[in-house]
């Protein structure tokens, strides 16, 4: 008996922790008792459906189980219909959050599907595997399995009770063989459930918060550390809701840091206490990154979505972490929430933007089946897309025109803020506008006016477009902003050829040659380049003079910031062409990953 667990992920770098958990738990429970082979196949939504269809068919499984989410449900339904045509009577089961809360409707819509596994699946899947190992389960057999809805032999749909949440320690560790996760993000779960009741989130449905024992977590974290995996992403919905649990894990990864592995956590910033903030401040730069869901700064919106948040505490905690300078912060906002009109969202955007996160994610409300938000569709005037991911189109407070504008703001924020490629230009440009939101709105208007919004742009073109916007909007400061753009460009890019917007070389070949000859002998600024000669030093760094800024800068690409990827910079004497940048070197200053142009 061959069972095929199938995941269709959003991207190639993603892996599906759920199907690996199901496989590992069932193997543990059925060891030596059942002639069942459980195999996993992972695909992505970017693959052609025919390719996935053919691959599943070639497996010639006896039972197919498909993991369903908002990003893959359309692909899953297409596969189900086509598979039933080439293999009539093929037993197909679905599971996952996108089918758990309307399982009856799913079976009515897809008569080819035998059953749906609802909610937490490890124990349910293991029970089914035990039955499948004995042959085709009868209706009576299936009626005894909690956590499923199934189609009986008479065609009637039978909905069994939901299964009680399980002890998280019973879920086996799935990463013993790392070869199958090569070039993938590794997801790890140290808790399940959520203590909060956010109306848009399915995690609020499971109120039984459970933690994996620290003795197990410690052992499994050490497995990752010993093998120096690049990143481990915790999928805990609110990682720091248990203070002792969070502190133990953070303390362990700090004390056992291997200098390579990065750990990602989703936290509530207002829950961070002084002890935790101090602990986070002792982490190696790049060891930890935090995702913080603010969602809105409108107090009425926060109350309406059943969320608990102290905005002042969030602001203090994020500023403290930012000042410590060692942790990447990613802050989230959601457009389309109740009582959030365009003016309110503008305030939310500006307030969160001024917290200066490394990334500001502007998302749009998704009205998920099973959530309390779904029940309030009529009351809130929610109009959403017909198909997954059910993204909001308009609300009582936000028109479709407003949503379209916010989509443009999202794109501009992604390109000119989240990319971190225009950091100092955008920071200075903000002074020219009433607020950050108005700045991105003006930039989006420029894109639309020039019909640039639907084009694919190379990286250097984004600088040229921004320069065009600046020339039109602030013509008196054109040269000043052009230099800032050049600074931002070389802060990230050791360009082999000079971009057009940068103009002519500002440091002559003779000046550069003299500088690198001296640096080869004295190592005043590039001590990490031991063993490299002057020609190699020149290729691996960049010198640029900025007359408007009054600086000459050496960009060092070997020692980049682990948080931002920015080059280490050294401010040299000699900001005019007639000056010699090799003189007065004792007055130079070097900084790594922090602002060096004041």
């Amino acid at each position: 008996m061959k069972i095929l667990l199938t995941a269709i992920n959003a991207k190639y770098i993603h892996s599906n922790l759920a199907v690996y958990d199901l496989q590992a738990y069932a193997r543990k429970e059925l060891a030596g008792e059942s002639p069942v082979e459980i195999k996993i196949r992972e695909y992505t939504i970017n693959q052609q459906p025919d390719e996935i269809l053919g691959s599943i068919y070639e497996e010639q499984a006896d039972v197919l189980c498909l993991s369903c989410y908002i990003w893959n449900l359309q692909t899953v339904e297409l596969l189900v219909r086509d598979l039933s045509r080439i293999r009539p009577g093929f037993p197909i089961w679905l599971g996952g959050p996108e089918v758990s809360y309307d399982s009856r409707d799913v079976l009515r819509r897809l008569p080819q599907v035998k059953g749906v596994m609802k909610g937490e699946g490890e124990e349910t899947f293991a029970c089914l595997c035990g039955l499948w190992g004995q042959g085709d389960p009868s209706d009576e057999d299936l009626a005894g399995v909690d956590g499923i809805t199934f189609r009986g032999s008479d065609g009637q749909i039978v909905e069994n009770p939901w299964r009680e949440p399980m002890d998280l320690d019973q879920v086996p560790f799935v990463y013993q063989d790392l070869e199958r996760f090569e070039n993938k993000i590794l997801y790890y779960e140290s808790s399940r459930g959520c203590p909060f009741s956010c109306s848009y989130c399915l995690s609020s449905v499971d109120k039984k918060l459970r933690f994996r024992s620290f003795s197990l977590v410690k052992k499994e974290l050490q497995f990752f550390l010993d093998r120096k995996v690049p990143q481990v992403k915790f999928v805990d919905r609110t990682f720091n809701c248990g203070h002792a649990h969070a502190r133990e894990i953070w303390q362990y990864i700090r004390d056992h840091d291997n200098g390579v592995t990065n750990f990602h956590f989703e936290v509530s910033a207002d829950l961070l206490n002084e002890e935790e903030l101090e602990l986070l401040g002792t982490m190696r730069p790049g060891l930890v990154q935090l995702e913080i869901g603010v969602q809105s700064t409108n107090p009425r919106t926060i109350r309406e979505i059943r969320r608990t948040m102290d905005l002042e505490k969030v602001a203090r905690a994020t500023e403290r972490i930012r000042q410590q300078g060692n942790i990447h912060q990613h802050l989230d906002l959601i457009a389309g929430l109740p009582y959030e009109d365009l003016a309110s969202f503008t305030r939310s955007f500006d307030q969160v933007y001024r917290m200066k996160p490394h990334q500001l994610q502007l998302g749009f409300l998704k009205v998920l089946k099973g959530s309390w938000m779904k029940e309030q569709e009529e009351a809130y005037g929610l109009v959403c897309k017909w198909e997954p991911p059910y993204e909001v189109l308009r609300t009582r407070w936000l028109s479709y025109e407003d949503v379209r504008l916010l989509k443009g703001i999202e794109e501009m924020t992604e390109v000119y803020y989240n990319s971190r490629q225009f950091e100092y230009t955008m920071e200075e440009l903000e002074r020219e506008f009433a607020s950050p939101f108005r700045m991105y709105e003006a930039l989006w208007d420029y894109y639309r006016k020039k019909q640039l919004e639907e084009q694919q742009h190379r990286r250097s073109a984004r600088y040229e477009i921004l320069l065009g916007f600046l020339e039109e909007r602030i013509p008196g400061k054109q040269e000043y902003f052009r230099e800032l753009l050049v600074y931002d460009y070389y802060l990230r890019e050791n360009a082999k050829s000079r971009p057009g917007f940068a103009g002519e070389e500002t440091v002559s070949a003779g000046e550069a040659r003299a500088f690198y000859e001296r640096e080869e002998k004295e190592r005043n600024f590039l001590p990490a380049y031991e063993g490299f000669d002057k020609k190699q030093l020149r290729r691996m760094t960049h010198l640029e003079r900025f007359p408007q800024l009054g600086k000459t800068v050496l960009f060092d690409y070997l020692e980049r910031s682990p948080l931002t990827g920015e080059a280490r910079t050294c401010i040299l004497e000699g900001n005019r062409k007639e000056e010699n940048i090799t003189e007065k070197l004792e007055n130079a200053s070097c900084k790594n990953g922090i602002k060096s142009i004041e």
Side-chain angles (χ1 to χ4, degrees):
M1 170 66 68
K2 182 178 182 179
I3 316 298
L4 183 62
L5 281 166
T6 303
I8 304 172
N9 303 319
K11 295 181 180 179
Y12 174 77
I13 61 169
H14 295 172
S15 57
N16 187 303
L17 179 60
V19 294
Y20 288 99
D21 279 347
L22 296 182
Q23 180 193 56
Y25 185 81
R27 283 177 172 176
K28 182 188 77 167
E29 292 297 303
L30 302 175
E33 299 179 9
S34 176
V36 172
E37 176 192 359
I38 305 170
K39 187 170 182 179
I40 290 174
R41 288 301 306 264
E42 290 189 275
Y43 309 95
T44 79
I45 57 174
N46 298 314
Q47 291 178 257
Q48 291 296 321
D50 277 353
E51 180 184 347
I52 301 174
L53 179 69
S55 176
I56 292 173
Y57 178 80
E58 285 179 357
E59 290 291 342
Q60 288 297 298
D62 297 293
V63 179
L64 173 66
C65 301
L66 290 154
S67 186
C68 303
Y69 300 87
I70 54 175
W71 62 80
N72 71 11
L73 188 62
Q74 289 176 281
T75 302
V76 166
E77 292 196 3
L78 177 65
L79 289 170
V80 164
R81 291 186 172 98
D82 287 344
L83 279 166
S84 67
R85 293 184 176 189
I86 57 178
R87 287 195 63 182
F90 185 26
I92 299 174
W93 285 73
L94 307 181
E98 190 52 30
V99 294
S100 288
Y101 301 97
D102 64 341
S103 55
R104 282 183 173 272
D105 290 339
V106 170
L107 291 179
R108 292 189 188 104
R109 187 170 71 248
L110 297 172
Q112 305 88 349
V113 173
K114 174 63 177 179
V116 172
M117 289 175 256
K118 304 181 295 185
E120 224 169 58
E122 286 90 352
E123 292 179 320
T124 302
F125 178 70
C127 286
L128 289 172
C129 284
L131 294 176
W132 291 328
Q134 299 170 22
D136 187 19
S138 66
D139 291 356
E140 185 178 357
D141 291 332
L142 294 175
V145 180
D146 285 349
I148 66 170
T149 300
F150 68 95
R151 194 185 314 279
S153 55
D154 59 358
Q156 296 299 307
I157 295 172
V158 180
E159 186 162 13
N160 292 355
W162 285 66
R163 185 175 294 276
E164 286 296 310
M166 68 183 295
D167 178 356
L168 201 54
D169 282 0
Q170 297 305 308
V171 180
F173 184 63
V174 303
Y175 293 112
Q176 301 296 347
D177 178 12
L178 282 178
E179 284 189 12
R180 58 183 177 177
F181 299 101
E182 190 175 358
N183 301 318
K184 305 270 189 178
I185 296 173
L186 299 187
Y187 296 100
Y188 182 76
E189 184 178 42
S190 73
S191 67
R192 275 188 191 171
C194 184
F196 304 115
S197 303
C198 302
S199 62
Y200 52 82
C201 180
L202 290 180
S203 295
S204 63
V205 176
D206 179 4
K207 300 300 295 180
K208 188 173 181 181
L209 180 62
R210 293 148 287 153
F211 296 97
R212 195 166 176 84
S213 297
F214 182 63
S215 58
L216 281 177
V217 173
K218 178 174 67 173
K219 178 182 176 183
E220 290 157 2
L221 291 179
Q222 194 59 52
F223 177 90
F224 296 133
L225 290 164
D226 289 344
R227 287 152 184 81
K228 294 188 176 182
V229 302
Q231 184 181 59
V232 177
K233 191 167 186 177
F234 277 65
V235 296
D236 305 42
R237 298 311 304 157
T238 306
F239 174 76
N240 63 324
C241 62
H243 291 287
H245 177 77
R247 282 197 305 272
E248 281 185 316
I249 291 176
W250 282 339
Q251 182 82 44
Y252 189 86
I253 64 175
R254 187 203 65 175
D255 293 347
H256 296 81
D257 179 21
N258 61 16
V260 174
T261 304
N262 162 267
F263 294 90
H264 176 104
F265 302 93
E266 187 172 337
V267 302
S268 287
D270 53 328
L271 295 182
L272 293 169
N273 58 35
E274 179 61 27
E275 183 181 357
E276 290 161 351
L277 287 168
E278 285 187 8
L279 177 59
L280 289 170
T282 64
M283 301 286 190
R284 164 181 60 84
L287 174 59
V288 164
Q289 62 188 53
L290 301 179
E291 182 175 348
I292 299 166
V294 181
Q295 319 313 11
S296 172
T297 65
N298 183 326
R300 186 171 185 183
T301 297
I302 293 298
R303 288 194 301 271
E304 187 66 20
I305 63 176
R306 301 178 172 183
R307 185 173 176 80
T308 302
M309 184 183 70
D310 186 324
L311 185 61
E312 289 186 7
K313 287 184 178 180
V314 170
R316 286 198 300 270
T318 54
E319 175 61 17
R320 170 81 170 272
I321 294 168
R322 190 180 74 84
Q323 290 291 341
Q324 289 172 172
N326 64 328
I327 290 177
H328 183 282
Q329 293 188 94
H330 176 136
L331 271 57
D332 296 336
L333 283 172
I334 297 178
L337 295 174
Y339 297 100
E340 184 107 272
D341 59 13
L342 186 59
S344 171
F345 188 84
T346 298
R347 288 191 294 272
S348 291
F349 181 93
D350 288 340
Q351 285 180 276
V352 174
Y353 189 92
R354 287 172 175 145
M355 293 179 189
K356 298 183 178 179
H358 292 95
Q359 285 199 311
L360 196 172
Q361 181 67 47
L362 199 174
F364 290 80
L365 177 65
K366 296 171 179 60
V367 186
L368 305 178
K369 289 176 284 187
S371 69
W372 188 75
M373 186 68 72
K374 177 69 175 175
E375 298 176 15
Q376 304 304 309
E377 268 186 305
E378 186 174 346
Y380 294 156
L382 290 174
V383 176
C384 305
K385 290 184 178 178
W386 183 258
E387 296 175 331
Y390 315 113
E391 195 171 87
V392 67
L393 293 170
R394 71 168 187 261
T395 74
R396 272 178 51 195
W397 303 274
L398 210 60
S399 70
Y400 177 58
E401 288 76 15
D402 294 336
V403 171
R404 290 189 67 207
L405 169 62
L406 294 180
K407 284 286 185 180
I409 301 297
E410 176 195 28
E411 183 177 340
M412 294 297 94
T413 304
E414 194 66 27
V415 170
Y416 289 106
Y417 185 83
N418 289 342
S419 70
R420 311 305 296 176
Q421 295 170 1
F422 308 86
E423 182 176 358
Y424 300 116
T425 305
M426 299 308 291
E427 186 174 313
E428 190 65 22
L429 182 59
E430 186 187 333
R431 302 175 192 273
E432 306 291 333
F433 291 86
S435 77
F437 186 93
R438 297 305 171 199
M439 174 177 67
Y440 289 105
E441 183 180 29
L443 190 52
W444 177 240
D445 285 344
Y446 179 81
Y447 262 71
R448 295 188 68 188
K449 182 177 70 174
K450 300 293 185 180
Q451 298 182 328
L452 299 167
E453 72 272 25
E454 295 182 0
Q455 300 177 29
Q456 294 291 325
H457 300 285
R458 66 187 189 281
R459 184 185 165 194
S460 61
R462 296 290 191 181
Y463 290 84
E464 293 162 3
I465 291 169
L466 186 53
L467 184 59
F469 169 76
L470 292 164
E471 290 172 348
E472 181 178 294
R473 188 84 185 201
I474 318 168
K477 295 185 177 181
Q478 172 187 341
E479 188 58 24
Y480 173 69
F481 276 105
R482 188 190 65 78
E483 285 194 4
L484 276 176
L485 281 170
V486 174
Y487 179 80
D488 273 326
Y489 185 82
Y490 281 111
L491 197 60
R492 288 286 191 143
E493 185 83 13
N494 184 13
K496 303 304 179 185
S497 58
R498 192 170 180 81
F501 72 88
E504 296 181 359
E505 294 282 358
T506 57
V507 175
S508 70
E511 284 181 291
R513 182 170 57 253
F515 173 81
Y516 287 111
E517 284 176 353
R518 180 169 177 173
E519 189 59 23
E520 182 182 39
K521 297 173 184 176
E522 300 181 5
R523 304 290 175 174
N524 292 301
F525 306 108
L526 302 171
Y529 289 77
E530 189 65 36
F532 293 102
D533 62 28
K534 59 188 177 184
K535 291 183 179 179
Q536 292 170 316
L537 294 179
R538 190 168 183 173
R539 285 197 302 269
M540 298 168 70
T541 63
H542 178 73
L543 274 172
E544 184 78 22
R545 179 180 279 114
F546 299 94
Q548 293 283 323
L549 303 175
K551 307 286 183 183
T552 298
V553 180
L554 172 67
F555 296 89
D556 171 7
Y557 300 106
L558 186 62
E559 295 193 69
R560 293 179 182 266
S561 164
L563 295 187
T564 65
E566 293 177 359
R568 170 177 167 267
T569 57
C570 294
I571 309 302
L572 311 180
E573 287 293 331
N575 58 46
R576 295 188 300 274
K577 278 202 172 185
E578 62 270 19
E579 293 179 322
N580 189 331
I581 59 175
T582 63
E583 296 177 355
K584 300 181 182 178
L585 295 180
E586 65 275 10
N587 295 323
S589 61
C590 295
K591 300 183 180 182
N592 194 335
I594 59 176
K595 189 172 182 179
S596 56
I597 291 189
E598 304 296 343

